[in-house]
Amino acid sequence: MVDQRVRLPDMRTDVAQVLITEEQIRDKVAELGGQITSDYAATSVTLVSVLKGSLPFMADLMRAIQIPVTIDLMEVSSYGGATTETSGLVRILKDLSSSIAGKDVLIVEDIIDTGLTLNYLLRYLRGKNPRSLRICALLDKPARRLVEIPIDYRGFQIPDEFVVGYGLDFGEYYRNLPFIGVLRRELYETT
Ligand code: IMP
């Protein structure tokens, strides 16, 4: 019996505006995959994805890369529950499975907002002595940046809006939307 007091998101109508369409995402992933393929052509690359938000991006990007890759997954938490503000606290929920020492590593991230999460991850991963460490971010939201992050591969720069879809969530929902959309403000703004 479904508890009617719990309102599940009405995914499409909760989106105020589609910011990036499925087709735009597909084209951009192909473009990024092509750049990564030529930049790492002489070697191979280890893709380190940051769960859960980067899951669809990672799955699509790795198939757009034409050279040998290995992958690893980390999970970190920066936001607690259904909130849109970063806490600045980063917790590692799942660490790397294999050593990255001496490897060319590319971090695959869904979105860079304040930059606090990646700033922490960069320091953490540098400490594991990879041969090189670069960043590929699908979305860059520079308006709220608190620490400078060197983004080597950038998908889209977006305005200061809270977005969901293609892996990005609000309170763990909306990740399965195939496009990236702006969440209606009244759903997260308190009066
Ligand atoms: P940062 O540490 O502020 O750069 O935040 C990075 C993380 O915050 C991302 O990996 C997302 O999980 C989350 N985040 C930041 N902005 C958004 C957004 O607009 N929608 C959904 N999640 C977001």
Side-chain angles (χ1 to χ4, degrees):
M1 178 80 177
V2 175
D3 185 343
Q4 296 297 329
R5 291 166 303 182
V6 179
R7 187 191 154 279
L8 290 174
D10 191 350
M11 291 205 305
R12 304 239 169 193
T13 53
D14 286 354
V15 169
Q17 180 207 345
V18 175
L19 202 59
I20 306 169
T21 65
E22 269 185 90
E23 194 185 6
Q24 287 172 313
I25 295 172
R26 209 180 310 123
D27 290 350
K28 186 60 77 177
V29 169
E31 183 188 320
L32 292 170
Q35 284 170 18
I36 294 165
T37 300
S38 56
D39 290 356
Y40 290 88
T43 161
S44 77
V45 62
T46 298
L47 305 175
V48 172
S49 163
V50 189
L51 294 172
K52 302 170 192 158
S54 305
L55 188 64
F57 181 41
M58 175 72 151
D60 288 341
L61 184 68
M62 62 192 267
R63 288 176 292 175
I65 298 174
Q66 313 289 328
I67 53 163
V69 303
T70 59
I71 67 166
D72 210 336
L73 305 169
M74 289 188 72
E75 184 172 1
V76 301
S77 74
S78 47
Y79 290 166
T83 150
T84 60
E85 294 298 319
T86 190
S87 63
L89 281 177
V90 179
R91 259 192 325 143
I92 294 183
L93 303 176
K94 188 212 165 294
D95 207 339
L96 296 171
S97 305
S98 314
S99 167
I100 55 165
K103 295 193 173 160
D104 291 305
V105 174
L106 182 61
I107 303 176
V108 177
E109 178 63 301
D110 50 0
I111 185 167
I112 305 180
D113 185 14
T114 62
L116 292 172
T117 308
L118 261 186
N119 189 48
Y120 174 87
L121 264 182
L122 275 176
R123 275 187 288 133
Y124 180 78
L125 293 175
R126 266 190 208 120
K128 302 207 172 274
N129 300 313
R131 186 161 80 134
S132 67
L133 185 60
R134 289 187 181 164
I135 295 173
C136 176
L138 181 65
L139 304 177
D140 176 17
K141 202 198 285 186
R144 293 171 18 115
R145 193 64 38 82
L146 295 176
V147 275
E148 204 186 313
I149 299 288
I151 308 177
D152 302 281
Y153 304 94
R154 178 191 285 103
F156 303 93
Q157 186 167 312
I158 63 165
D160 187 10
E161 300 278 5
F162 194 80
V163 292
V164 292
Y166 197 65
L168 291 157
D169 76 305
F170 174 63
E172 292 298 327
Y173 286 103
Y174 306 99
R175 293 192 196 276
N176 55 324
L177 284 172
F179 53 80
I180 292 165
V182 176
L183 191 65
R184 278 178 27 217
R185 277 189 181 271
E186 62 266 35
L187 292 169
Y188 59 87
E189 272 182 358
T190 46
T191 46

